[in-house]
Amino acid sequence: MSSTSNAMKFTLRIWRQKGPKDSGKLVDYKVDDIIPEMSFLEMLDVLNEKLAAEGKDPVAFDSDCREGICGTCGLVINGIAHGPLAGTTTCGLRMRHFRSGDVITIEPFRADSFPIIKDLVVDRTAFDRIVQAGGYVSFNTGSAPDANSVLVSKDASHDSMDAATCIGCGACVAACPNASAHLFTGAKVYQFAKIPQGQPERDQRVLNMITTHDKEGFGDCSNHGECEAVCPKQINIKTIAQMRRDYLVASLRT
Amino acid sequence: MNLATAAQSSIGRKLISGLTGLLLVGFVIGHLTGNFLLLAGPEAFNNYAYFLEHLFHGAGLIIAEIGLIVLFLSHAWSGFQVWNNKWNARKKNYEVPGDAGGKSKKSVSSTTMLWSGVLLLAFVVWHVAQFKFGIIDTGNRAVMVDGVEMRNLYGIVVDTFAQPLWTGIYVIIMVMLGFHLWHGAWSAFQSMGLANDLYLPTITKVAHFLSIVLAVGFVALPTSIFVFSNHFKAESDKYMQQYGTNETSGDMIYRTVSGLMSAEKGA
Ligand code: HEM
Ligand code: FES
């Protein structure tokens, strides 16, 4: 790639950690020839090509769809999960949101429930176990049910869908001063609490998901609201209030 | 689900923290309102104190005190657990911590809740020792009003806040209270599940307003006594000339306590 007039350069301070047991440290790298339209991950690709060409170990980071829908990517950029742009995943963040010459610190999502596998890659299977504990609805398979046999109002379906946009990236945990997963769990509880299909298992769902949340070692929620501010899908903290309401009712009823 | 188990969950702790916090806010509002009787003079204030102390033959006050102790302890305990759990949940913090800004509600108030709370707890213990048990003797005597013997609590309060040290300490702690409630008063509704996106903006505004009103109110009383201490002292002296006895207020408290204890033994 030749130097273009608007090419940007950066000093990157990246968390390098060989494996789960390694103590890890920040290492400085320089990149130039970065085009403003590049995504943050493409900028890291440029760095990794350079490192590979020099025979060095490339920086490990997660990504899949690179279009903001899968929840695989996730970096803490200058102390903010998914970086400075609200409502955006790391893969959606463009380099034009930085100034050429900036020093950018890149760290993994930090929480003891998200152990670091290598460099910027963390193990988020704790989320899978929370979902397995109740983030589903049960129904009989077999012949197709009659159309419109379960009526859902437009408002309820929108409300539920807003919560269901959660892509499970884990930024809420990364941003929470207490490393709580209440926004993630709240979104999963909320999406079913608002529609008829979610009612039969409603009580058991919230109790089991919270029990698993706590067992996985996530922290308690102090209502700081950092989670909502970094959430790429802008999940509202009203989902946490709903989850608490449901938990109270469920523990009184069962 | 077993309620004791539910109370030990990450949600149970917040339900308790929010409920006890809000009940404490209720107490504080009542306490401030009652204290404004200081402005109505010694007779009004002392009669009010006497009324509280003898509500249901003294049982009312004891029930209220036990309730308050339970509230303070369970509130402090749930808050401490929330704070403590965060250290286990993230043992290695960020090298460069940041604030998300935008929709975040994180503030100096929200991140120092435990410390403002610990100060408040220490203060409450001292406050009770100072005004209920009178461990600092202000030299005030008991009074006999219409054949009823009572403490001149008004005099004790006035003599205390005539001193810059005590006014200063109380002002600092009361600012701390407002600071604790800046986050606490809206957070409690969210913690109890009594909020949604429609109500939360209003709840937050009212809560912020309330935290300022309470802090200003509690700061106003000691400072006005300090500034106008001549006036308040003159009121107290006039009252003492009319009703004063030779018994110290301290003696009265001990007599009340031992009286209660012997009544208990007799029963
Ligand atoms: C006894 C000393 C106190 C301690 C140690 C204490 C501690 C705490 C802590 C640590 C929290 C934050 C909980 C969290 O992060 O989730 C909190 C919240 C709160 N505190 Fe206190 N506090 C004390 C006294 C008070 C008093 C006197 C009041 C009221 C006048 C009060 C009202 C509140 C409220 C309303 C909340 C919000 C509850 C919630 O969000 O669930 N606190 N307190
Ligand atoms: S890689 Fe799929 S959301 Fe970023």
Side-chain angles (χ1 to χ4, degrees), chain B residues 253-267:
Chain B
I253 292 168
Y254 297 128
R255 228 189 34 219
T256 314
V257 172
S258 57
L260 279 171
M261 278 168 30
S262 55
E264 222 164 68
K265 267 188 215 131

Side-chain angles (χ1 to χ4, degrees), chain A residues 95-148:
Chain A
M95 294 318 292
R96 61 171 171 268
H97 296 291
F98 296 86
R99 264 186 317 211
S100 187
D102 277 357
V103 177
I104 305 173
T105 306
I106 308 170
E107 294 184 69
F109 283 1
R110 292 196 191 276
D112 282 51
S113 310
F114 285 172
I116 294 177
I117 298 170
K118 187 179 181 204
D119 296 338
L120 305 170
V121 179
V122 300
D123 175 358
R124 285 167 288 184
T125 50
F127 270 12
D128 299 343
R129 291 186 288 275
I130 293 178
V131 169
Q132 281 159 12
Y136 52 80
V137 291
S138 305
F139 55 87
N140 293 324
T141 53
S143 55
D146 285 344
N148 296 332

Side-chain angles (χ1 to χ4, degrees), chain A residues 41 62-73 89-92 167:
Chain A
L41 298 185
D62 259 334
S63 78
D64 190 3
C65 72
R66 296 213 175 187
E67 57 178 12
I69 56 169
C70 75
T72 308
C73 64
T89 52
T90 305
C91 61
I167 51 178

Side-chain angles (χ1 to χ4, degrees), chain A residues 222, chain B residues 14 17-18 21 24 28 72 75 79 113 117 121 180-181 184 187-188 191:
Chain A
S222 287
Chain B
K14 287 300 291 181
S17 163
L24 285 172
V28 162
F72 272 110
H75 181 76
M113 292 299 274
L121 190 59
H180 192 80
L181 296 183
S187 171
S191 295

